[in-house]
């Protein structure tokens, strides 16, 4: 089983990479890499919210990635029928 810091890091990576979340910053201090870290997420992993975030990170994708997946499946299905 994953440790709490490992789960927090995985959720942070999902929130950043899949959903595009970034840390709040100002225009002056923005560097383009305001990624959420496991340390930012770990305090949220309490009670039922921990289970919800863990399930969300493994089952939810952005609408753009879902649309890309549907498009790829449609192309595959079209190619399969043509053969």
């Amino acid at each position: 089983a994953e440790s709490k810091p490992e789960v927090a890091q995985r959720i942070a990576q999902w929130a950043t990479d899949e959903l595009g979340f970034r840390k709040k910053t100002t225009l002056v201090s923005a560097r383009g890499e305001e990624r959420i870290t496991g340390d930012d997420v770990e305090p949220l992993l309490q009670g039922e919210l921990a289970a919800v975030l863990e399930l969300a990170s493994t089952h939810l994708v952005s609408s753009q990635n879902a649309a890309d997946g549907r498009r790829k499946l449609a192309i595959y299905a079209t190619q399969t029928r043509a053969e």
Side-chain angles (χ1 to χ4, degrees), residues 29-80:
S29 65
R31 291 184 174 80
E33 277 298 314
E34 293 75 28
R35 298 178 63 87
I36 297 169
T37 66
D39 292 338
D40 298 322
V41 173
E42 197 166 345
L44 301 175
L45 299 180
Q46 306 288 328
E48 292 181 13
L49 184 56
V52 169
L53 288 172
E54 195 163 357
L55 282 172
S57 71
T58 56
H59 296 290
L60 297 180
V61 295
S62 68
S63 58
Q64 181 179 358
N65 284 349
D68 288 345
R70 283 191 297 275
R71 183 181 49 78
K72 289 176 185 175
L73 283 172
I75 290 169
Y76 175 76
T78 303
Q79 291 172 348
T80 305

Side-chain angles (χ1 to χ4, degrees), residues 12-25 32-36 40:
Q13 185 173 353
W14 164 76
T16 301
D17 296 345
E18 184 66 35
L19 303 180
F21 285 5
R22 297 287 185 265
K23 287 183 182 180
K24 201 172 188 180
T25 188
E33 277 298 314
E34 293 75 28
R35 298 178 63 87
I36 297 169
D40 298 322

